[in-house]
Amino acid sequence: MTETLKRLVIGRAMRSEELSGTLLPKRLALPIFASDPLSSVAYATQEILLVLTLGGLAYLHFTPWIGAAVVLLMAVVVLSYRQVVNAYPSGGGSYTVATANLGPSAGLVVGASLLVDYVMTVAVSVASGVDNVISALPSLAGYRVLMALGFVALLTAMNLRGVRESGRVFAAPTYLFTGGVLIMVGTGLLRWLLGDAPVAESARYGIAPAQGDASLAGAALVMLVLRAFSSGCTALTGVEAISNGVPAFRRPKSRNAATTLAAMGLLAVTMFAGITTLAIIAEVHITDDPCRLVGLAGCGGHTQRTVIAQLASAVFGGSTSPGFYYIQAATALVLILAANTAFNGFPLLASFLAENRYLPRQLHNRGDRLVFSNGILALAAVAGLLLYGFRANVSNLIHLYILGVFTSFTLSQTGMIRHWNRVLRAGTDPAGRRRHRLARAVNATGAVITGLVLVIVLATKFTQGAWIAVFAAVLLWLMMRGIRRHYDRTAAELAVTDPRAESVPPSRVHAIVLVSTLHKPTLRALAYARAFRPDTLEAVTVAVDQESLAALREQWDDFGIQVPLKILRSPYREITRPAVEYVRSLHREGAHDVVSVLVPEYVVGRWWENLLHNHSALWLKSRLLFIPGVTVTSVPWQLPSAAHVKRPIARAPGSVRRGEPRYTPRPRPAPDSPPSD
């Protein structure tokens, strides 16, 4: 049943040779890797307005300047990442650049920051998408968290099916959203030019300042503007995902990735600038608290529509128009699917870190559909916990956002400066040197600007909740360093230094068969122990019940078993401790000997039967494995429920992806039949 359900959800297993068939053309790569930066324009303008209105209506005149600064920053970052794509076509993006040019510690800072930010991308995108659903259908407000968790589960299932299949599903909503926003912006601007400017439903309300005093000056005003700018920088989230996923593109990989990056930048800049301009024209007034809207009656139960919802209503003729519902549906869908950028970026980055032994090796393994399934599941689990803990509230989650993005931006651009310095020292071609100097200038500009933005983000968002993201990134950085140290120590300990000395056989082998009752599994274990001819062989039982012990002794004598039965007394009715102590004593008697413990076990076919058997054996084996010089062997006995279970033919882990055929044992010929050819 489990196998059938798995195939229904993720599809058939794919062979390694099919990996080339999963490579992406540009038309699919754009919605897969760029859905986050394209969709973030739906709330970036809103975040700017929410901060500026803390001071009242008077400070909304800063909106166009802040919007222009975000557009400039986006252009610089896109140009900088085009340099990364061309210089490092193997993928890994900022992590690879920082590691290669600034050292492993800097690379780990980038890796930890981006992993945290990918989790935040899923949480914020899904929560924002749910917000837009509630804007169209306010009656669903009570199901906010449940809807968010359901959408995360749906995204997880789609991504487990493979990059190409998820791309086909996600492409249409992204293009529908992009087209709808461009039509809305074009229609609104055309109406404005013709003298019929759209007017938002909130334009008639005033805004009371949050602190009761609208006058801000000096440092307070600067901090307000900088905080609004840092909130608007959410439009840049996900820009680096294309540089991480260069190997997923069709050939020529670097050129296709750079073209897709340019298309993403052009569309994102156009849509963000258009929405911001239209919000200014339509006089959208939005606050963090509806009761600060002057003139609004019954503010306690009022749910404000998002900025893009108000613009769609104003441009297309009201909240019942087809255009309004189209924009709301497309926005909600693309915001939820924008998390797909993280579902592609997180597993790829985690696989690079796992390959370099900074994360568990399981994150580097591809699943049945040739995607990094463990990374996808890990991302879904952490993002789901975050959505549940913060009640899927965008305003609470947004402060944890974008910190990691600008950390990676700054370090990767700094690393690219060193890269171009190294290339310039080695190059002699004048034309090539001019191109490299220009590329270095672009990356230097990007490093300076993104570094300043990082400082602004830290200064304005740290006390608002960004400290949680900083703490998580630092904790993850320390954890990855610890994992690398563990892998290095393990590799050093397991490395062969003296083949002859380390392959010397043990002096003697002492075999012990653990016995609880004399039954068929016990007899099979005894027969197996005799088969490999140990130097000594004995059966060991722990006496916790005198009646059972007497019955065992009687059966042992009646059956004439020629193996000595060792009885371990246990006055406190423990089984594990006496057996472990006895095995330890045997090992102490001969430091160069090996003690082989054989454990008879039942194999059952039904899940509930596992609750009834083998618990003592499992616990005992787990303790024995920690004793040096001791080997533990399970001797299985299949009960009828296991013998009749029709299981799929077993494969070794990863055998399908390596292209190995299924192993089907040849049937043995009947005793009177000749052997088959």
Side-chain angles (χ1 to χ4, degrees):
M1 189 193 311
T2 305
E3 183 72 11
T4 301
L5 181 61
K6 180 179 179 181
R7 293 299 156 225
L8 285 173
V9 174
I10 69 173
R12 67 172 181 84
M14 299 177 67
R15 299 170 68 93
S16 297
E17 292 83 353
E18 297 179 80
L19 182 61
S20 60
T22 66
L23 298 180
L24 300 171
K26 295 188 289 293
R27 70 178 186 279
L28 289 181
L30 181 65
I32 287 175
F33 289 111
S35 55
D36 180 25
L38 291 178
S39 65
S40 61
V41 301
Y43 55 82
T45 300
Q46 176 172 307
E47 294 304 317
I48 294 173
L49 297 179
L50 283 171
V51 174
L52 291 178
T53 53
L54 291 174
L57 283 176
Y59 301 99
L60 289 179
H61 70 276
F62 287 109
T63 303
W65 301 104
I66 294 173
V70 172
V71 167
L72 176 62
L73 178 61
M74 189 179 294
V76 170
V77 169
V78 169
L79 287 174
S80 300
Y81 269 106
R82 280 175 58 87
Q83 306 294 339
V84 172
V85 165
N86 289 316
Y88 292 89
S90 60
S94 300
Y95 167 70
T96 300
V97 173
T99 302
N101 297 286
L102 303 177
S105 294
L108 278 190
V109 171
V110 171
S113 301
L114 281 178
L115 289 178
V116 171
D117 222 66
Y118 280 136
V119 173
M120 295 308 308
T121 295
V122 175
V124 171
S125 297
V126 170
S128 185
V130 170
D131 264 1
N132 278 271
V133 172
I134 294 172
S135 289
L137 301 169
S139 60
L140 296 177
Y143 302 97
R144 179 188 299 272
V145 176
L146 187 61
M147 285 193 296
L149 295 178
F151 287 135
V152 170
L154 179 62
L155 286 167
T156 303
M158 289 305 305
N159 278 279
L160 287 174
R161 293 188 67 87
V163 175
R164 193 175 180 87
E165 284 202 26
S166 63
R168 292 193 184 100
V169 174
F170 300 150
T174 304
Y175 286 125
L176 288 173
F177 168 76
T178 303
V181 169
L182 293 176
I183 291 172
M184 181 185 73
V185 170
T187 304
L189 293 178
L190 181 61
R191 286 181 54 184
W192 174 63
L193 290 173
L194 296 176
D196 180 26
V199 179
E201 61 187 37
S202 60
R204 64 181 183 273
Y205 303 127
I207 298 178
Q211 301 298 327
D213 183 7
S215 58
L216 291 175
L221 178 60
V222 171
M223 287 301 295
L224 180 71
V225 174
L226 291 180
R227 184 177 166 188
F229 171 68
S230 66
S231 294
C233 287
T234 53
L236 278 77
T237 56
V239 171
E240 81 293 336
I242 291 177
S243 65
N244 288 339
V246 176
F249 283 80
R250 285 181 178 174
R251 297 180 184 276
K253 295 179 181 292
S254 295
R255 184 188 303 171
N256 288 337
T259 303
T260 305
L261 193 56
M264 179 271 296
L266 180 61
L267 287 172
V269 164
T270 303
M271 290 193 293
F272 173 76
I275 290 173
T276 304
T277 303
L278 207 56
I280 296 170
I281 293 171
E283 299 182 11
V284 175
H285 295 162
I286 189 168
T287 64
D288 58 344
D289 181 5
C291 291
R292 291 201 296 112
L293 292 174
V294 179
L296 175 65
C299 63
H302 180 73
T303 301
Q304 296 180 91
R305 285 197 171 100
T306 60
V307 167
I308 199 166
Q310 293 190 45
L311 292 178
S313 177
V315 170
F316 294 120
S319 59
T320 59
S321 63
F324 170 80
Y325 282 109
Y326 173 87
I327 291 294
Q328 285 307 102
T331 302
L333 195 56
V334 80
L335 281 171
I336 293 166
L337 298 183
N340 192 60
T341 296
F343 273 103
N344 283 281
F346 182 100
L348 280 170
L349 179 58
S351 75
F352 279 106
L353 288 163
E355 185 179 15
N356 293 331
R357 296 181 294 177
Y358 290 112
L359 286 177
R361 294 287 297 175
Q362 293 89 334
L363 293 171
H364 185 58
N365 298 335
R366 292 185 183 270
D368 284 351
R369 300 291 294 177
L370 300 177
V371 294
F372 299 107
S373 306
N374 293 326
I376 292 171
L377 294 173
L379 173 61
V382 179
L385 289 173
L386 202 61
L387 284 165
Y388 182 81
F390 284 84
R391 313 310 298 169
N393 188 300
V394 177
S395 298
N396 293 337
L397 289 167
I398 201 72
H399 298 300
L400 284 67
Y401 206 19
I402 78 173
L403 187 67
V405 169
F406 283 99
T407 302
S408 65
F409 284 172
T410 303
L411 290 177
S412 68
Q413 301 316 309
T414 304
M416 286 301 295
I417 296 171
R418 286 195 172 185
H419 168 79
W420 294 124
N421 287 339
R422 189 166 58 250
V423 171
L424 284 168
R425 285 195 297 270
T428 57
D429 178 48
R433 289 177 64 84
R434 282 194 298 272
R435 289 196 305 272
H436 296 151
R437 287 195 188 97
L438 178 60
R440 183 177 62 179
V442 170
N443 290 126
T445 304
V448 171
I449 294 177
T450 55
L452 290 173
V453 174
L454 177 60
V455 173
I456 292 169
V457 170
L458 274 173
T460 58
K461 288 182 175 287
F462 191 82
T463 58
Q464 303 295 320
W467 67 269
I468 300 175
V470 174
F471 176 78
V474 172
L475 188 64
L476 186 57
W477 185 86
L478 292 172
M479 184 188 76
M480 290 192 291
R481 291 288 297 265
I483 290 173
R484 177 59 187 261
R485 283 196 298 271
H486 167 76
Y487 278 130
D488 287 346
R489 285 197 301 266
T490 303
E493 184 175 344
L494 299 180
V496 177
T497 55
D498 187 351
R500 289 187 178 180
E502 292 166 359
S503 59
V504 173
S507 301
R508 292 187 302 170
V509 176
H510 303 282
I512 295 175
V513 177
L514 298 180
V515 177
S516 60
T517 306
L518 188 54
H519 46 29
K520 291 179 180 179
T522 302
L523 295 177
R524 174 176 287 183
L526 289 169
Y528 178 74
R530 291 192 192 97
F532 69 82
R533 297 179 181 177
D535 294 284
T536 63
L537 171 61
E538 63 180 342
V540 174
T541 187
V542 180
V544 296
D545 179 5
Q546 293 303 317
E547 292 183 4
S548 299
L549 176 60
L552 176 61
R553 277 176 162 173
E554 183 178 352
Q555 282 184 302
W556 204 266
D557 294 335
D558 291 344
F559 282 37
I561 299 174
Q562 301 300 312
V563 175
L565 178 63
K566 176 73 175 180
I567 299 170
L568 304 177
R569 302 291 176 180
S570 181
Y572 296 103
R573 298 161 304 283
E574 288 184 286
I575 296 175
T576 304
R577 187 189 299 273
V580 171
E581 289 179 351
Y582 179 67
V583 172
R584 286 184 188 275
S585 68
L586 289 178
H587 177 64
R588 283 194 295 267
E589 291 174 5
H592 298 288
D593 296 352
V594 168
V595 180
S596 180
V597 181
L598 292 89
V599 184
E601 289 188 77
Y602 307 137
V603 178
V604 296
R606 302 180 184 91
W607 66 269
W608 57 266
E609 290 178 314
N610 282 304
L611 303 175
L612 308 176
H613 301 285
N614 295 328
H615 295 290
S616 298
L618 288 172
W619 180 244
L620 183 57
K621 286 192 296 183
S622 67
R623 294 286 302 276
L624 291 172
L625 289 173
F626 287 93
I627 305 176
V630 174
T631 65
V632 182
T633 303
S634 294
V635 183
W637 180 273
Q638 290 78 15
L639 292 176
S641 61
H644 292 88
V645 171
K646 294 182 179 179
R647 299 186 184 277
I649 297 173
R651 305 185 188 100
S655 60
V656 172
R657 296 175 291 286
R658 291 192 296 268
E660 297 172 7
R662 294 185 178 188
Y663 170 72
T664 306
R666 297 180 65 183
R668 293 183 179 179
D672 296 332
S673 62
S676 58
D677 293 332

